[in-house]
Amino acid sequence: MGNLYQEIQNEIEQNKAIVLTTILSETRKGNTDTFARKIQNEEELLENKNQQLLQVLEDGKPTCIEQSDVEEKGKLMLIEPFYPRERLVILGGGHIALPLVEIASRVGFQVTVVDDRPSFANLNRFKTAEKVICESFKNCFDKINITRNDYIVIITRGHRHDTDCLKQILKEPETIYVGMIGSRRRVEVVKQGLLEEGYDEERLNRVCTPIGLSIGSATPEEISISIIAQLIKRKRMDRAEQFLVNRSDLDSNMLIKLASLKEEYCCMVTIIATKGSVPRGVGAKMIVYETGEIFGSIGGGCSESAIMRTALEIIGSRTWRIQDIDMTAEAAEEEGMVCGGVMTVLLEDITNNN
């Protein structure tokens, strides 16, 4: 088998949402050679009218269900949705953009910064940005290529530039989020001018102004945190109906790591079900190497040490196993676990399946 995560990565880089299905035997263990795995994109699911997988894609959360088909009865099917990496487009490279880019990159956004001043629009200033564009706000959109998966933050230095940005944005397909900084008066001036020019009032009303969650922020760093909090809230909780919701706990860099694996001896751990209070949700993954090193996390501390022995045992064995991590009060008190729930994880040797 080739690297299926590279296949998934290639698909989402083309702005496609993907579902990976894995059929697991009812014995909770087996050989990875017998995995029945299939990758399907959103278009294929719609064409085949696969409502079950489409529902998982819309719900945004991986799930593990028992098969009811006669041939597969009793077997488990793990359904994992993967989404194009969320891109944050920041229009304006001033003092707020500096911490905003850094924090956004840390929480998984692919960041593009635009400014019309060379001293502001450069990679030395924004080291964690994926792309920095030096161009006027009127002409930059030809270089951005806005998609429905984008988040856009307008933090230019004046309402004239804000107006230029909004005019272009309103001509493009609607994105997941648009927010604009500025006083209520400044924002109303911009909106009123665009309404008079005939722009869509409903879309204008969906522009988040004032930008960010109301936390009393004052400094550039605090304002950036309030903006990022609003982006995360939109991503996880209140996205509009026409957008897919990504509620998987998969770290944004994990797929990139999995896609780049070659011949490393390692085991992948995936949370496939949870009950009660647990440190990480369904979809979170961790790679365990034969040296005992790890990449990613399923919660840290005892939740990881509980499965490390099993992970190390199956590395190189071409096998997989399902294991429960019990963090309920009775079972975990001695170990110092504080969450009080149960996580079910899939461990699989991925040494020879990359």
Side-chain angles (χ1 to χ4, degrees):
M1 177 189 295
N3 187 328
L4 64 88
Y5 293 102
Q6 181 62 66
E7 293 179 43
I8 294 172
Q9 179 74 4
N10 292 341
E11 289 280 315
I12 66 174
E13 284 179 353
Q14 297 176 48
N15 208 37
K16 297 178 181 179
I18 298 298
V19 170
L20 169 65
T21 54
T22 305
I23 305 297
L24 306 167
S25 72
E26 64 273 19
T27 60
R28 292 171 63 98
K29 62 182 180 180
N31 193 297
T32 55
D33 291 339
T34 63
F35 268 161
R37 279 189 151 148
K38 189 174 183 180
I39 297 171
Q40 299 175 79
N41 63 43
E42 184 182 6
E43 294 174 0
E44 292 169 334
L45 296 177
L46 287 168
E47 183 178 342
N48 299 329
K49 298 181 180 179
N50 193 322
Q51 296 303 319
Q52 183 182 50
L53 300 189
L54 282 170
Q55 189 61 54
V56 172
L57 198 61
E58 290 177 10
D59 292 342
K61 194 172 184 178
T63 187
C64 194
I65 59 174
E66 186 172 322
Q67 294 285 77
S68 57
D69 296 344
V70 175
E71 294 183 2
E72 303 290 348
K73 191 171 180 60
K75 293 184 178 181
L76 298 174
M77 179 166 66
L78 175 62
I79 309 169
E80 297 179 272
F82 295 86
Y83 303 89
R85 189 177 176 190
E86 286 90 355
R87 181 176 65 159
L88 173 60
V89 178
I90 301 174
L91 300 168
H95 59 294
I96 293 174
L98 281 171
L100 184 59
V101 170
E102 182 178 350
I103 300 170
S105 300
R106 283 181 175 271
V107 300
F109 285 97
Q110 183 179 22
V111 183
T112 292
V113 183
V114 179
D115 202 281
D116 57 353
R117 299 164 291 181
S119 59
F120 285 78
N122 60 79
L123 283 170
N124 286 330
R125 180 173 169 81
F126 297 107
K127 292 182 172 60
T128 60
E130 296 279 341
K131 192 173 185 179
V132 180
I133 298 172
C134 185
E135 184 57 87
S136 72
F137 295 111
K138 281 185 177 181
N139 300 325
C140 67
F141 287 85
D142 289 339
K143 298 181 179 180
I144 297 174
N145 188 25
I146 296 295
T147 76
R148 66 172 184 163
N149 296 302
D150 289 333
Y151 296 68
I152 304 176
V153 168
I154 304 171
I155 49 174
T156 75
R157 60 189 182 276
H159 70 264
R160 177 172 61 84
H161 297 301
D162 295 342
T163 302
D164 289 340
C165 291
L166 269 182
K167 281 183 177 180
Q168 297 298 322
I169 291 167
L170 294 173
K171 295 175 184 176
E172 301 284 347
E174 187 161 5
T175 61
I176 296 171
Y177 172 95
V178 177
M180 184 169 68
I181 204 165
S183 66
R184 292 185 184 277
R185 180 181 178 280
R186 171 175 158 179
V187 168
E188 284 306 314
V189 168
V190 172
K191 282 188 173 182
Q192 189 57 42
L194 292 176
L195 286 174
E196 291 172 1
E197 292 184 36
Y199 284 88
D200 186 342
E201 184 174 6
E202 288 188 6
R203 278 193 66 176
L204 273 171
N205 289 336
R206 287 195 288 271
V207 176
C208 293
T209 56
I211 198 171
L213 296 185
S214 179
I215 58 174
S217 53
T219 67
E221 290 77 14
E222 291 173 348
I223 294 170
S224 296
I225 289 170
S226 75
I227 294 172
I228 293 297
Q230 191 171 55
L231 298 183
I232 293 171
K233 182 174 182 291
R234 176 62 57 86
K235 172 182 176 178
R236 299 293 190 183
M237 296 176 63
D238 59 6
R239 284 165 67 165
E241 290 183 0
Q242 66 266 38
F243 300 109
L244 295 174
V245 179
N246 180 4
R247 294 196 177 100
S248 173
D249 205 1
L250 178 70
D251 292 328
S252 60
N253 291 321
M254 178 57 74
L255 182 58
I256 297 172
K257 183 68 174 179
L258 289 168
S260 68
L261 287 177
K262 300 299 181 185
E263 293 298 325
E264 293 97 328
Y265 280 77
C266 52
C267 168
M268 182 172 68
V269 184
T270 304
I271 300 176
I272 62 174
T274 63
K275 183 179 180 181
S277 176
V278 293
R280 293 293 301 273
V282 176
K285 292 180 183 288
M286 177 176 74
I287 300 172
V288 180
Y289 294 92
E290 62 176 339
T291 60
E293 294 180 277
I294 63 173
F295 180 87
S297 172
I298 59 166
C302 296
S303 61
E304 291 178 0
S305 63
I307 54 89
M308 284 295 290
R309 179 179 298 178
T310 307
L312 292 171
E313 283 177 0
I314 71 172
I315 291 175
S317 69
R318 304 183 71 86
T319 62
W320 62 270
R321 197 176 307 177
I322 293 176
Q323 183 171 323
D324 295 322
I325 304 172
D326 194 339
M327 293 176 284
T328 56
E330 296 84 359
E333 182 177 359
E334 187 176 325
E335 297 296 330
M337 297 183 187
V338 295
C339 291
V342 177
M343 292 195 304
T344 301
V345 300
L346 169 66
L347 301 96
E348 56 182 294
D349 174 35
I350 57 173
T351 301
N352 298 310
N353 288 335
N354 297 320

